[in-house]
Amino acid sequence: MRLATWNVNSIRTRLDRVLDWLRRAEVDVLAMQEIKCADDQFPALPFFELGYEVAHCGFNQWNGVAIASRVGLDDIEVGFDGQPSWSSKPDLAAAAEARALAATCGGIRVWSLYVPNGRALGDPHYTYKLNWLAALRDTAEGWLRDDPSAQIALVGDWNIAPTDDDVWSVEYYRGCTHVSEPERKAFNAIVDAQFADVVRPFTPGPGVYTYWDYTQLAFPKGRGMRIDFILASPALAARVAGAQIVRDERKGKAPSDHAPVLVDLRND
């Protein structure tokens, strides 16, 4: 079974590229982030024609997550227990954003996650990000406490570079989000809750990235970050036979600024 995650940066803009890659890569389950469309705008039919069921969660032109699967799509769940809410303006009520979606695909509980960006150190969105990650950790820890043999994949755009090797320049990002110690601790707390980074052993760094900004020729200059991850529960991690960061998908016409990340799983 092949499981992948990809921040597509607008599914309607990137639809042809995503479908073409699914055909070529023989992906069984694809978790997507930043679909950037409301549910009634999601282009589901082309996925169905390719043999995939699709679940999606999008409220407007921002954020949004989806899962496409050709091995089953059951028990769809929007958001996780305790997921924090957010309001961009003091006079607007806080609400849960379209950042977390789960489905059971071929016996694996797949969570497509788009972790809040944080914006800047000291910004309220940064506090929201840390609270969001803490709630995810607590809830995910509970899943394994209830069922230590559960096969769970926490996948997506984490908006965190966990080590200095995960950024092209430590000095460039000094004092910024994505690399701060609280963010890194929040990421590692989820790893410590027994969700292993199962891609890194097959794609060691430094200089191995999943995201490159569109500006200043960041991609050809190798100025990237590793911020997209597949974290697996112990039972699922034991099945991982290989992993890739598909860097070539950052090339060509109108790419996403992220590359797909995938793992190959042995059968139970």
Side-chain angles (χ1 to χ4, degrees):
M1 180 172 167
R2 177 164 281 185
L3 167 65
T5 182
W6 195 358
N7 178 321
V8 297
N9 191 16
S10 175
I11 187 58
R12 290 180 292 173
T13 301
R14 237 66 66 181
L15 178 62
D16 289 344
R17 288 195 64 127
V18 171
L19 295 175
D20 179 64
W21 184 67
L22 284 175
R23 292 186 191 97
R24 290 184 285 109
E26 298 185 347
V27 171
D28 296 300
V29 182
L30 174 63
M32 292 169 274
Q33 302 83 43
E34 273 201 283
I35 60 171
K36 292 186 175 179
C37 65
D39 280 335
D40 61 359
Q41 299 171 312
F42 189 93
L45 183 58
F47 285 92
F48 296 155
E49 292 174 340
L50 202 59
Y52 291 84
E53 299 177 83
V54 182
H56 44 86
C57 175
F59 303 143
N60 49 40
Q61 73 272 30
W62 307 112
N63 310 322
V65 282
I67 300 171
S69 171
R70 62 180 186 182
V71 292
L73 193 73
D74 301 312
D75 301 322
I76 297 166
E77 182 179 0
V78 175
F80 55 85
D81 288 345
Q83 180 177 326
S85 56
W86 168 255
S87 175
S88 59
K89 298 179 180 179
D91 57 337
L92 293 179
E97 295 184 299
R99 293 186 177 274
L101 177 70
T104 300
C105 309
I108 298 170
R109 191 65 173 164
V110 177
W111 280 91
S112 182
L113 304 170
Y114 180 44
V115 175
N117 178 283
R119 299 178 183 170
L121 303 184
D123 191 286
H125 206 261
Y126 179 77
T127 302
Y128 166 57
K129 178 179 187 175
L130 295 178
N131 291 340
W132 201 97
L133 289 161
L136 176 63
R137 177 207 61 215
D138 291 347
T139 299
E141 192 173 51
W143 294 331
L144 288 184
R145 186 169 54 249
D146 294 340
D147 182 5
S149 65
Q151 299 198 37
I152 304 170
L154 307 178
V155 313
D157 177 356
W158 292 76
N159 273 316
I160 297 170
T163 76
D164 286 350
D165 282 349
D166 297 330
V167 295
W168 71 271
S169 169
V170 174
E171 188 59 35
Y172 181 84
Y173 289 106
R174 194 175 305 280
C176 298
T177 60
H178 292 54
V179 300
S180 71
E181 194 60 28
E183 289 167 287
R184 288 178 168 180
K185 285 183 177 179
F187 182 91
N188 287 325
I190 296 173
V191 174
D192 291 342
Q194 300 187 70
F195 288 89
D197 175 357
V198 291
V199 176
R200 193 182 296 271
F202 297 92
T203 59
V208 179
Y209 308 128
T210 66
Y211 164 83
W212 302 260
D213 191 84
Y214 288 127
T215 63
Q216 300 179 335
L217 298 175
F219 182 67
K221 290 180 179 179
R223 296 179 174 178
M225 309 176 77
R226 187 197 289 245
I227 58 175
D228 301 84
F229 297 93
I230 296 176
L231 303 187
S233 63
L236 183 61
R239 294 177 55 191
V240 174
Q244 302 175 48
I245 296 169
V246 191
R247 188 177 183 276
D248 282 352
E249 289 305 312
R250 178 59 176 81
K251 300 176 181 178
K253 182 180 179 180
S256 171
D257 45 3
H258 294 249
V261 178
L262 65 82
V263 292
D264 289 312
L265 303 169
R266 303 181 187 90
N267 293 331
D268 284 332

